Amino acid sequence: MKKLYGVIGDPIGHSMSPDMHNDAFGALHMEAYYHPFHIKSEELKTAVAGMKAIGLSGFNVTVPHKTAIMPLLDEIDPLAEAIGAVNTVVRDENRFIGYNTDGEGFVRGLNEEYGSSVLDKKIMIIGAGGAARAIYYTLSQQGAERVDIANRTPAKAEELKSRCPYPVETALLSLEQAEEQLGDYDIIIQTTSIGMSPKVSETPIHVKNIRPDAFVSDIIYNPAETMIMKEAKKRGARVQNGLKMFAYQGALAFEKWTGILPDTERMQKIVQNKLGGTSC
Ligand code: NAP
């Protein structure tokens, strides 16, 4: 009998995870199917119980359920607990265990594109939302030495820093300070929603002070090249969009379910083709 996996969210019609995972199951000749489930917040508790009852082998969790699902699971991985969000649920016998693969997915994609480990580099994260939290805590958990945070709302960056359970040196900056001091950083990670389609001409900061040997990783992948990436490239910096992060967070979920890490290049191509463009 085919194993059943899926993703829950509201809305869910736009999700590219079903294409990515069903292609991977096909490529690996696995008897499995991945389905998008549209679950409203008020139905979340019933849905989780239902998925357990019908024998779902695992599922992804997307907006707006990543935090709300946590008390409904039997166990939460410590990193997901620290991040305060679950994007992957694994079934172990009759128990549902929650993980977060967003941060690890990002770091894998960054290391791969950067060409070496980034842990000893001077890193700036722009933004202090959910994605920034996953990235900041994962970098800190893995032993990053210095990760500074620049955000529009200082209190949110302060909260991120004060709740980080892993040791890391962090200074907090305004977006104006980030622009001024950009030349001090080896790696700049853009995690705000600014620059995302359709507002493609917007940028959270201007990068006139960036060093030509710096690296900019924007976690947005639509458009494939955001304004901050364009500006950084003009000044000689290397850039990366969020496609690798997306593919890797999916690949790591797949690995937790099946024990097999699928072909992430192939996963990226699926998403790229669905978006109808090229990636960086
Ligand atoms: P979020 O929790 O809502 O956080 C949004 C962040 O953007 C906050 O830091 C917010 O600053 C900042 N921001 C929003 N509008 C702004 C503005 N006009 N000026 C200055 N700052 C602004 O969102 P999220 O879940 O972290 O997602 C952020 C982005 O990452 C989205 O574009 C999402 O699609 C993308 N993402 C990509 C992947 C991937 O796999 N590649 C995964 C997850 C998310 P304040 O704190 O001041 O409000």
Side-chain angles (χ1 to χ4, degrees):
M1 199 172 65
K2 271 193 177 183
K3 285 193 169 179
L4 182 61
Y5 298 86
V7 55
I8 61 168
D10 178 23
I12 201 63
H14 67 290
S15 174
M16 286 182 279
S17 295
D19 294 272
M20 213 166 68
H21 287 285
N22 283 323
D23 176 78
F25 286 134
L28 291 161
H29 308 291
M30 294 173 79
E31 287 291 311
Y33 176 69
Y34 184 106
H35 188 77
F37 296 99
H38 184 191
I39 308 292
K40 298 241 173 239
S41 290
E42 57 273 25
E43 298 292 347
L44 184 62
K45 193 173 175 187
T46 317
V48 172
M51 286 189 292
K52 199 177 252 186
I54 62 170
L56 227 80
S57 299
F59 56 98
N60 286 127
V61 185
T62 188
V63 179
H65 306 315
K66 285 184 169 188
T67 301
I69 197 167
M70 294 176 75
L72 304 174
L73 301 175
D74 300 296
E75 187 182 331
I76 309 282
D77 168 73
L79 178 60
E81 186 78 59
I83 293 168
V86 159
N87 79 330
T88 301
V89 175
V90 176
R91 187 187 193 104
D92 178 17
E93 309 264 318
N94 204 32
R95 303 175 74 242
F96 275 163
I97 306 172
Y99 294 88
N100 191 307
T101 65
D102 282 331
E104 170 70 13
F106 173 80
V107 176
R108 290 251 193 142
L110 176 62
N111 283 337
E112 195 172 278
E113 198 76 16
Y114 192 68
S116 64
S117 168
V118 301
L119 298 178
D120 61 343
K121 304 295 172 204
K122 195 166 172 193
I123 301 173
M124 175 197 285
I125 295 180
I126 306 172
R133 182 181 295 267
I135 291 169
Y136 175 57
Y137 287 4
T138 306
L139 283 168
S140 309
Q141 185 212 32
Q142 294 191 4
E145 290 169 15
R146 175 72 188 255
V147 183
D148 293 349
I149 305 169
N151 195 46
R152 173 181 63 176
T153 311
K156 288 202 189 155
E158 184 62 58
E159 199 217 339
L160 214 62
K161 178 183 170 179
S162 66
R163 295 202 174 187
C164 182
Y166 311 105
V168 60
E169 200 182 324
T170 296
L172 303 179
L173 308 168
S174 66
L175 294 177
E176 294 72 26
Q177 286 170 321
E179 276 190 2
E180 278 164 28
Q181 297 169 28
L182 210 59
D184 293 345
Y185 293 88
D186 302 306
I187 294 171
I188 295 110
I189 302 169
Q190 196 307 104
T191 73
T192 76
S193 41
I194 305 175
M196 202 163 71
S197 188
K199 295 184 174 175
V200 296
S201 59
E202 294 183 3
T203 179
I205 63 167
H206 291 287
V207 295
K208 62 179 187 311
N209 293 329
I210 199 167
R211 292 203 314 259
D213 65 343
F215 187 95
V216 174
S217 182
D218 193 328
I219 69 167
I220 291 172
Y221 52 81
N222 187 17
E225 193 171 78
T226 57
M227 188 51 74
I228 193 169
M229 289 167 64
K230 282 188 182 143
E231 284 193 11
K233 243 166 91 173
K234 268 192 222 151
R235 287 166 174 82
R238 288 193 294 144
V239 299
Q240 165 185 45
N241 68 18
L243 204 53
K244 260 196 171 83
M245 173 183 181
F246 183 70
Y248 262 115
Q249 63 74 32
L252 292 168
F254 192 100
E255 187 183 34
K256 287 193 184 302
W257 296 325
T258 65
I260 300 167
L261 186 72
D263 180 345
T264 51
E265 295 279 332
R266 189 177 167 118
M267 285 181 144
Q268 282 181 67
K269 284 206 182 84
I270 300 268
V271 177
Q272 213 170 300
N273 288 344
K274 242 201 142 188
L275 290 169
T278 53
S279 94
C280 300

